[in-house]
Amino acid sequence: MKKLFLHIVIILCLFLVIDRSLGLGLRYLYRISNATDEYKISYSNESTRDSLLFMGSSRCLHHYVPSIFEKELGITCYNAADWGIKNIFYHYGLLGNILSRYTPKVILLEIHPCDFRDTPFSGKERAGSLAPYCGMSDACDEMLKLSGNYLAYQLSWVYRYTGNLPNLITGKLGSMDRSLKGWKPLDGVLDTTGVESEEYPFPVDQERVTLLERFIKDCQQKNIQLLMIVSPMYVCSKEDVFKIPRELAAKYDIPFIDHYRDTTFVGHAKFYYDFGHLNRKGSEIYSEIISKELKKKISTHLEFAQPSQ
């Protein structure tokens, strides 16, 4: 029995040594990857020190051009958004990790229905993208527990990266231009054939609403000026899609910038890559408009030209 116990201990130790060694190697590959997901997530969690952060899903990733905002506002900016229907479960964990390092002055959160409704393909599992940062903050760990794999991430460092292996192998050949500070432009023009409005007949998810509210409170507690924003769509829903986040913004007295039905963009295919995402030209024009609007709303924070350390 004693020999069996010794063998088990040796096997466990070997497992830990091999797992940690491979995990460190994968961590290195993750950090140098230039693939969109890995680069955006690693830089946003580990390296951002900018005064203004853009957070959200793919519409945020493609719509906000940091260089335009920097020129207009005179503060450093970074687009920390990512694609893949990232939602409030991901955003809240990311916020926790960022705040564990530094406090940005302003956060612009692009709202999507997946942040407060039970939309398909966008559940708690989206927080799993933060697996490489298990243990970095309480908020991140809380979201990873909700995703369902927290114990596995704790036990195995390798397991934290299994979903990223294809990109880690080829990541140095990825498509992110780092000089764009997180913005990923889309080149092309929308083919309007058969395009219809995207409706959201999905129930409100109170757990997501609560997390959105906690996101607001955490920013206010840190004296971060939070603004919620909705960018244009080529064709808009007939319903008042963003009623809930608008009410939350009013409750906590934060700006809600609504360009969802902005006639400058709605129905103008030349500004779109697809029905929900602006192309390069559209994003640049939209960023010019928003940067000027934002300047009026964050004037009290503009004296801080550099981020907090």
Side-chain angles (χ1 to χ4, degrees), residues 83-84 183 271:
W83 55 18
W183 174 50
F271 294 137

Side-chain angles (χ1 to χ4, degrees), residues 188-193 195 233-235 264-275 277-279 281-282:
V189 177
L190 169 67
D191 178 358
T192 61
T193 305
V195 173
M233 293 275 285
Y234 176 68
V235 183
T264 301
F265 300 94
V266 174
H268 298 283
K270 64 182 178 180
F271 294 137
Y272 289 85
Y273 175 80
D274 58 31
F275 74 93
H277 299 93
L278 297 168
N279 59 23
K281 179 181 179 181

Side-chain angles (χ1 to χ4, degrees), residues 8-133:
I8 292 173
V9 170
I10 292 172
I11 290 171
L12 287 175
C13 289
L14 284 173
F15 166 78
L16 288 174
V17 170
I18 294 171
D19 176 78
R20 269 40 178 180
S21 298
L22 290 174
L24 288 173
L26 290 173
R27 181 183 180 186
Y28 171 75
L29 291 176
Y30 191 90
R31 285 178 166 177
I32 66 171
S33 174
N34 208 41
T36 301
D37 278 345
E38 288 71 25
Y39 165 67
K40 288 302 301 291
I41 294 172
S42 63
Y43 192 88
S44 299
N45 279 278
E46 297 184 56
S47 302
T48 51
R49 287 267 174 194
D50 297 274
S51 295
L52 188 155
L53 296 181
F54 303 94
M55 296 180 66
S57 190
S58 61
R59 279 164 48 77
C60 185
L61 170 68
H62 299 304
H63 291 183
Y64 299 92
V65 187
S67 61
I68 293 175
F69 286 86
E70 289 184 338
K71 182 179 179 181
E72 181 67 32
L73 303 176
I75 57 175
T76 59
C77 304
Y78 187 77
N79 190 327
D82 194 20
W83 55 18
I85 324 181
K86 297 294 193 296
N87 59 17
I88 191 60
F89 295 107
Y90 173 83
H91 306 329
Y92 189 72
L94 174 60
L95 177 69
N97 287 348
I98 290 170
L99 295 183
S100 73
R101 294 190 300 105
Y102 87 111
T103 304
K105 299 301 178 185
V106 183
I107 291 178
L108 196 70
L109 178 64
E110 167 82 25
I111 297 294
H112 188 279
C114 68
D115 293 321
F116 54 92
R117 293 194 180 195
D118 189 11
T119 55
F121 314 113
S122 182
K124 300 173 184 177
E125 74 282 352
R126 294 299 164 187
S129 295
L130 294 168
Y133 299 99

Side-chain angles (χ1 to χ4, degrees), residues 187-208:
D187 292 307
V189 177
L190 169 67
D191 178 358
T192 61
T193 305
V195 173
E196 298 179 356
S197 64
E198 186 173 18
E199 301 297 336
Y200 303 95
F202 312 109
V204 172
D205 183 344
Q206 190 55 49
E207 185 174 23
R208 301 186 201 209

Side-chain angles (χ1 to χ4, degrees), residues 115-231:
D115 293 321
F116 54 92
R117 293 194 180 195
D118 189 11
T119 55
F121 314 113
S122 182
K124 300 173 184 177
E125 74 282 352
R126 294 299 164 187
S129 295
L130 294 168
Y133 299 99
C134 180
M136 187 170 180
S137 71
D138 290 342
C140 179
D141 284 359
E142 181 184 354
M143 296 303 102
L144 290 176
K145 288 173 184 177
L146 290 177
S147 76
N149 293 311
Y150 178 73
L151 181 59
Y153 297 144
Q154 285 280 78
L155 292 174
S156 172
W157 288 9
V158 170
Y159 188 67
R160 300 177 185 186
Y161 299 95
T162 52
N164 306 98
L165 287 178
N167 284 346
L168 294 184
I169 294 170
T170 61
K172 293 188 75 173
L173 302 176
S175 58
M176 284 301 299
D177 181 347
R178 299 189 178 206
S179 69
L180 297 179
K181 300 198 70 175
W183 174 50
K184 192 172 180 66
L186 295 171
D187 292 307
V189 177
L190 169 67
D191 178 358
T192 61
T193 305
V195 173
E196 298 179 356
S197 64
E198 186 173 18
E199 301 297 336
Y200 303 95
F202 312 109
V204 172
D205 183 344
Q206 190 55 49
E207 185 174 23
R208 301 186 201 209
V209 174
T210 300
L211 276 179
L212 191 54
E213 195 165 9
R214 286 174 62 187
F215 191 106
I216 295 170
K217 289 179 178 179
D218 288 358
C219 287
Q220 291 187 330
Q221 188 174 33
K222 290 284 188 175
N223 197 32
I224 298 169
Q225 183 160 2
L226 174 67
L227 304 93
M228 294 198 289
I229 190 166
V230 184
S231 51

